Short mmCIF file of all heavy atoms in Angstrom, two decimals:
data_model
loop_
_atom_site.label_atom_id
_atom_site.label_comp_id
_atom_site.label_asym_id
_atom_site.label_seq_id
_atom_site.Cartn_x
_atom_site.Cartn_y
_atom_site.Cartn_z
N PHE A 147 45.12 193.85 119.91
CA PHE A 147 44.10 193.87 120.95
C PHE A 147 42.72 194.02 120.31
O PHE A 147 42.56 194.72 119.31
CB PHE A 147 44.34 195.04 121.91
CG PHE A 147 45.68 195.04 122.58
CD1 PHE A 147 46.77 195.65 121.98
CD2 PHE A 147 45.87 194.41 123.81
CE1 PHE A 147 48.02 195.65 122.59
CE2 PHE A 147 47.11 194.40 124.42
CZ PHE A 147 48.18 195.02 123.80
N TYR A 149 38.78 195.15 121.14
CA TYR A 149 37.90 195.88 122.06
C TYR A 149 36.48 195.85 121.51
O TYR A 149 36.26 195.68 120.32
CB TYR A 149 38.32 197.35 122.16
CG TYR A 149 39.69 197.62 122.71
CD1 TYR A 149 40.83 197.53 121.91
CD2 TYR A 149 39.87 198.01 124.04
CE1 TYR A 149 42.09 197.81 122.41
CE2 TYR A 149 41.13 198.30 124.55
CZ TYR A 149 42.22 198.19 123.73
OH TYR A 149 43.48 198.48 124.23
N GLN A 151 32.85 198.32 121.97
CA GLN A 151 32.39 199.59 122.50
C GLN A 151 30.89 199.72 122.26
O GLN A 151 30.44 199.65 121.11
CB GLN A 151 33.13 200.75 121.82
CG GLN A 151 32.82 202.12 122.41
CD GLN A 151 33.64 203.21 121.74
OE1 GLN A 151 33.96 203.14 120.56
NE2 GLN A 151 34.00 204.24 122.51
N SER A 156 32.88 203.60 126.92
CA SER A 156 34.29 203.53 126.56
C SER A 156 34.62 202.17 125.96
O SER A 156 33.80 201.27 125.91
CB SER A 156 35.14 203.78 127.79
OG SER A 156 36.49 203.93 127.40
N LEU A 157 35.85 202.06 125.51
CA LEU A 157 36.33 200.80 124.95
C LEU A 157 36.59 199.80 126.07
O LEU A 157 37.21 200.12 127.08
CB LEU A 157 37.63 201.01 124.20
CG LEU A 157 37.56 201.69 122.84
CD1 LEU A 157 37.38 203.18 122.99
CD2 LEU A 157 38.82 201.40 122.03
N LEU A 159 38.36 196.20 126.76
CA LEU A 159 39.26 195.20 126.20
C LEU A 159 38.63 193.82 126.31
O LEU A 159 38.17 193.42 127.37
CB LEU A 159 40.59 195.24 126.93
CG LEU A 159 41.65 194.24 126.47
CD1 LEU A 159 42.10 194.58 125.04
CD2 LEU A 159 42.84 194.25 127.41
N GLU A 172 39.95 188.58 128.50
CA GLU A 172 39.62 189.28 129.74
C GLU A 172 38.49 188.54 130.46
O GLU A 172 37.74 187.76 129.86
CB GLU A 172 39.20 190.71 129.43
CG GLU A 172 40.34 191.56 128.88
CD GLU A 172 41.51 191.64 129.83
OE1 GLU A 172 41.34 192.13 130.97
OE2 GLU A 172 42.61 191.20 129.43
N PHE A 204 30.19 197.78 118.48
CA PHE A 204 31.27 198.32 117.65
C PHE A 204 32.55 197.61 118.10
O PHE A 204 32.94 197.72 119.26
CB PHE A 204 31.35 199.83 117.87
CG PHE A 204 32.21 200.58 116.90
CD1 PHE A 204 32.07 200.39 115.53
CD2 PHE A 204 33.15 201.50 117.34
CE1 PHE A 204 32.85 201.10 114.63
CE2 PHE A 204 33.94 202.21 116.44
CZ PHE A 204 33.79 202.01 115.09
N ARG A 210 50.18 197.10 118.46
CA ARG A 210 51.35 197.80 118.99
C ARG A 210 52.44 197.83 117.95
O ARG A 210 52.74 196.80 117.34
CB ARG A 210 51.86 197.10 120.24
CG ARG A 210 50.95 197.17 121.43
CD ARG A 210 51.47 196.28 122.55
NE ARG A 210 52.84 196.61 122.91
CZ ARG A 210 53.68 195.76 123.47
NH1 ARG A 210 53.30 194.53 123.71
NH2 ARG A 210 54.89 196.14 123.79
N ASP A 217 54.80 201.14 123.18
CA ASP A 217 53.79 201.60 124.12
C ASP A 217 52.58 202.22 123.44
O ASP A 217 51.56 202.41 124.08
CB ASP A 217 54.40 202.61 125.10
CG ASP A 217 55.41 201.96 126.01
OD1 ASP A 217 55.28 200.74 126.28
OD2 ASP A 217 56.33 202.66 126.46
N THR A 218 52.71 202.55 122.19
CA THR A 218 51.62 203.19 121.48
C THR A 218 50.81 202.14 120.74
O THR A 218 51.37 201.27 120.08
CB THR A 218 52.16 204.23 120.48
OG1 THR A 218 52.88 205.22 121.21
CG2 THR A 218 51.01 204.89 119.74
N GLN A 219 49.50 202.22 120.89
CA GLN A 219 48.62 201.34 120.14
C GLN A 219 47.96 202.14 119.04
O GLN A 219 47.50 203.25 119.26
CB GLN A 219 47.55 200.74 121.06
CG GLN A 219 48.09 199.73 122.07
CD GLN A 219 46.98 199.07 122.86
OE1 GLN A 219 45.84 198.99 122.42
NE2 GLN A 219 47.32 198.58 124.04
N PHE A 221 44.88 202.14 116.35
CA PHE A 221 43.56 201.53 116.26
C PHE A 221 43.07 201.45 114.83
O PHE A 221 43.34 202.32 113.99
CB PHE A 221 42.55 202.31 117.10
CG PHE A 221 42.71 202.08 118.58
CD1 PHE A 221 43.69 202.72 119.30
CD2 PHE A 221 41.87 201.19 119.24
CE1 PHE A 221 43.85 202.49 120.66
CE2 PHE A 221 42.02 200.95 120.60
CZ PHE A 221 43.00 201.60 121.30
N GLY A 222 42.31 200.40 114.58
CA GLY A 222 41.61 200.29 113.32
C GLY A 222 40.38 201.18 113.34
O GLY A 222 40.02 201.74 114.39
N PRO A 223 39.69 201.30 112.22
CA PRO A 223 38.52 202.17 112.12
C PRO A 223 37.27 201.59 112.75
O PRO A 223 36.26 202.28 112.86
CB PRO A 223 38.35 202.37 110.62
CG PRO A 223 38.92 201.13 110.03
CD PRO A 223 40.07 200.74 110.91
N TYR B 92 52.51 204.92 132.09
CA TYR B 92 52.30 205.99 131.13
C TYR B 92 50.80 206.21 130.94
O TYR B 92 49.98 205.38 131.32
CB TYR B 92 52.98 205.70 129.79
CG TYR B 92 52.61 204.39 129.16
CD1 TYR B 92 51.45 204.26 128.38
CD2 TYR B 92 53.41 203.27 129.34
CE1 TYR B 92 51.11 203.04 127.82
CE2 TYR B 92 53.08 202.05 128.77
CZ TYR B 92 51.94 201.95 128.01
OH TYR B 92 51.60 200.75 127.45
N GLN B 94 47.97 207.86 128.01
CA GLN B 94 47.80 208.27 126.62
C GLN B 94 46.47 208.99 126.44
O GLN B 94 45.51 208.74 127.15
CB GLN B 94 47.84 207.05 125.69
CG GLN B 94 49.14 206.26 125.80
CD GLN B 94 49.20 205.12 124.79
OE1 GLN B 94 48.46 205.09 123.82
NE2 GLN B 94 50.11 204.19 125.02
N TYR B 96 43.63 209.94 123.40
CA TYR B 96 43.16 209.60 122.06
C TYR B 96 41.98 210.49 121.71
O TYR B 96 41.23 210.95 122.57
CB TYR B 96 42.68 208.14 122.00
CG TYR B 96 43.77 207.11 122.05
CD1 TYR B 96 44.33 206.72 123.26
CD2 TYR B 96 44.25 206.52 120.89
CE1 TYR B 96 45.34 205.77 123.31
CE2 TYR B 96 45.25 205.56 120.93
CZ TYR B 96 45.79 205.20 122.15
OH TYR B 96 46.79 204.26 122.18
N GLN B 98 38.45 210.36 119.40
CA GLN B 98 37.57 209.45 118.69
C GLN B 98 36.39 210.22 118.12
O GLN B 98 35.68 210.93 118.83
CB GLN B 98 37.04 208.33 119.61
CG GLN B 98 36.23 207.28 118.86
CD GLN B 98 35.81 206.11 119.72
OE1 GLN B 98 35.67 206.24 120.94
NE2 GLN B 98 35.58 204.95 119.11
N GLY B 101 31.60 206.73 115.25
CA GLY B 101 31.68 205.63 114.31
C GLY B 101 33.08 205.32 113.82
O GLY B 101 33.24 204.59 112.83
N ARG B 102 34.07 205.85 114.49
CA ARG B 102 35.45 205.63 114.08
C ARG B 102 36.28 205.10 115.24
O ARG B 102 35.88 205.21 116.40
CB ARG B 102 36.09 206.95 113.59
CG ARG B 102 35.29 207.68 112.54
CD ARG B 102 35.35 206.98 111.21
NE ARG B 102 36.70 206.96 110.66
CZ ARG B 102 37.04 206.31 109.55
NH1 ARG B 102 36.14 205.61 108.90
NH2 ARG B 102 38.26 206.35 109.10
N GLY B 103 37.43 204.51 114.91
CA GLY B 103 38.32 204.06 115.96
C GLY B 103 39.09 205.22 116.56
O GLY B 103 39.20 206.29 115.94
N PRO B 104 39.62 205.06 117.77
CA PRO B 104 40.41 206.12 118.40
C PRO B 104 41.69 206.41 117.61
O PRO B 104 42.27 205.52 117.01
CB PRO B 104 40.75 205.54 119.77
CG PRO B 104 39.77 204.45 119.99
CD PRO B 104 39.48 203.89 118.63
N ARG B 111 54.82 209.80 130.07
CA ARG B 111 55.27 208.77 130.99
C ARG B 111 55.23 209.28 132.42
O ARG B 111 55.17 210.48 132.67
CB ARG B 111 56.67 208.31 130.62
CG ARG B 111 56.71 207.72 129.22
CD ARG B 111 58.02 207.04 128.88
NE ARG B 111 58.02 206.60 127.49
CZ ARG B 111 57.43 205.49 127.08
NH1 ARG B 111 56.82 204.69 127.95
NH2 ARG B 111 57.45 205.15 125.79
N ASN B 158 51.17 195.24 128.69
CA ASN B 158 51.03 196.57 128.09
C ASN B 158 49.62 196.85 127.61
O ASN B 158 49.41 197.47 126.58
CB ASN B 158 52.02 196.74 126.93
CG ASN B 158 53.35 197.28 127.41
OD1 ASN B 158 53.40 198.00 128.38
ND2 ASN B 158 54.40 196.90 126.75
N MET B 159 48.64 196.37 128.37
CA MET B 159 47.26 196.66 128.01
C MET B 159 46.92 198.09 128.38
O MET B 159 47.52 198.67 129.29
CB MET B 159 46.34 195.71 128.76
CG MET B 159 46.53 194.25 128.41
SD MET B 159 45.37 193.22 129.30
CE MET B 159 45.81 193.59 130.98
N LEU B 160 45.98 198.63 127.67
CA LEU B 160 45.48 199.97 127.97
C LEU B 160 44.11 199.84 128.63
O LEU B 160 43.29 199.03 128.22
CB LEU B 160 45.34 200.80 126.70
CG LEU B 160 46.62 201.28 126.02
CD1 LEU B 160 46.26 202.03 124.74
CD2 LEU B 160 47.41 202.18 126.95
N PHE B 162 40.87 202.24 129.41
CA PHE B 162 40.33 203.51 128.95
C PHE B 162 39.35 204.13 129.94
O PHE B 162 38.60 203.43 130.62
CB PHE B 162 39.61 203.32 127.61
CG PHE B 162 40.53 203.21 126.44
CD1 PHE B 162 41.11 202.00 126.11
CD2 PHE B 162 40.84 204.33 125.68
CE1 PHE B 162 41.98 201.90 125.04
CE2 PHE B 162 41.70 204.23 124.60
CZ PHE B 162 42.28 203.02 124.28
N GLY B 163 39.36 205.45 129.97
CA GLY B 163 38.32 206.19 130.65
C GLY B 163 37.10 206.27 129.74
O GLY B 163 37.15 205.85 128.58
N GLY B 164 36.03 206.82 130.27
CA GLY B 164 34.78 206.86 129.52
C GLY B 164 34.73 207.92 128.42
O GLY B 164 33.84 207.92 127.59
#
Side-chain angles (χ1 to χ4, degrees):
Chain A
F147 302 89
Y149 297 82
Q151 186 177 33
S156 190
L157 285 77
L159 180 66
E172 293 301 300
F204 192 50
R210 292 172 56 205
D217 293 332
T218 300
Q219 290 186 25
F221 285 79
Chain B
Y92 55 84
Q94 302 185 17
Y96 288 82
Q98 186 175 26
R102 308 288 295 175
R111 299 189 185 279
N158 271 330
M159 297 182 300
L160 288 177
F162 282 84

